[in-house]
Amino acid sequence: DTAVSQTPKYLVTQMGNDKSIKCEQNLGHDTMYWYKQDSKKFLKIMFSYNNKELIINETVPNRFSPKSPDKAHLNLHINSLELGDSAVYFCASSPYGSRGTDTQYFGPGTRLTVL
Amino acid sequence: ILNVEQSPQSLHVQEGDSTNFTCSFPSSNFYALHWYRWETAKSPEALFVMTLNGDEKKKGRISATLNTKEGYSYLYIKGSQPEDSATYLCARPNNYGQNFVFGPGTRLSVLP
């Protein structure tokens, strides 16, 4: 059983398109996150959601919008894709999220390539 | 801005060697320090979460120590095996105890 799953695994698209990446966790966790692995391979937080409410938006362009239909899902919508959006995007979840001691569990990543 | 640093950036060791690497972080407003193991083409996998100064954690041949006063943690691998080859990440929650700030990782290659 996959704890945190993402779809698709690979996404290749043209500049200017709108795309979505889906994330689901079956761990019963309260908080979910989106990270971007940048060109230097750093993992950087984009968003976190606690019980369907956005609690952090780390100055991500508003072309990126997280949508959480329920606490098991956090989807990432990206409008007007740009070349610089090419990266690997990771979803994660943690039991509570408001405590720094919580382990975060990561999905397998989605490699987005914008042509 | 909270910065988490790791050294060395990469490391090559022979099978059977023991090795260690460092994670440095600001010691103020400390909540916890997390270590993750990240194999290529897989997702980061949690190794340890450490909270108290002087903490030592161990999982098999891997262990970690924590010094919150001076802001560093060491990860040790005893008798490295090729399957230990991975990037080892440390992360510290930000000053609000919420999102993680990850270090750049130490890429370990264990040669058979």
Side-chain angles (χ1 to χ4, degrees), chain A residues 9 33 35 37 40-45 48 55-56 58 90 97-109, chain B residues 4 31-34 36 38 41-46 49 51 89 93-94 96-104 107:
Chain A
K9 191 169 182 179
Y33 309 82
Y35 285 86
Q37 184 186 12
K40 295 184 180 179
K41 307 295 183 187
F42 275 73
L43 271 178
K44 294 202 170 167
I45 185 74
S48 78
I55 58 175
I56 297 173
E58 293 289 322
F90 287 90
S98 58
R99 306 184 317 194
T101 53
D102 279 355
T103 294
Q104 292 184 17
Y105 296 83
F106 284 81
Chain B
V4 177
Y31 287 88
L33 192 283
H34 296 254
Y36 282 81
W38 193 6
K42 294 187 178 180
S43 51
E45 179 186 333
V49 52
T51 57
L89 298 171
N94 69 2
Y96 304 100
Q98 295 171 320
N99 61 300
F100 284 3
V101 177
F102 278 90
R107 180 181 289 276

Side-chain angles (χ1 to χ4, degrees), chain B residues 14-35:
Chain B
Q14 290 293 135
E15 183 175 355
D17 286 352
S18 293
T19 187
N20 64 85
F21 21 94
T22 307
C23 172
S24 303
F25 51 86
S27 55
S28 60
N29 297 313
F30 179 83
Y31 287 88
L33 192 283
H34 296 254
W35 280 101

Side-chain angles (χ1 to χ4, degrees), chain B residues 71-105:
Chain B
Y72 65 83
S73 176
Y74 293 136
L75 190 79
Y76 300 91
I77 302 179
K78 185 177 177 182
S80 303
Q81 300 296 309
E83 58 264 30
D84 295 330
S85 297
T87 296
Y88 292 83
L89 298 171
C90 65
R92 211 211 88 158
N94 69 2
N95 292 337
Y96 304 100
Q98 295 171 320
N99 61 300
F100 284 3
V101 177
F102 278 90

Side-chain angles (χ1 to χ4, degrees), chain A residues 12 14 20 27 32 43 45 50-51 53 62 66 90 94-95 100:
Chain A
V12 181
Q14 297 289 327
S20 295
L27 298 167
M32 296 183 71
L43 271 178
I45 185 74
N50 179 271
N51 276 326
E53 291 187 16
N62 58 15
F90 287 90
S94 65

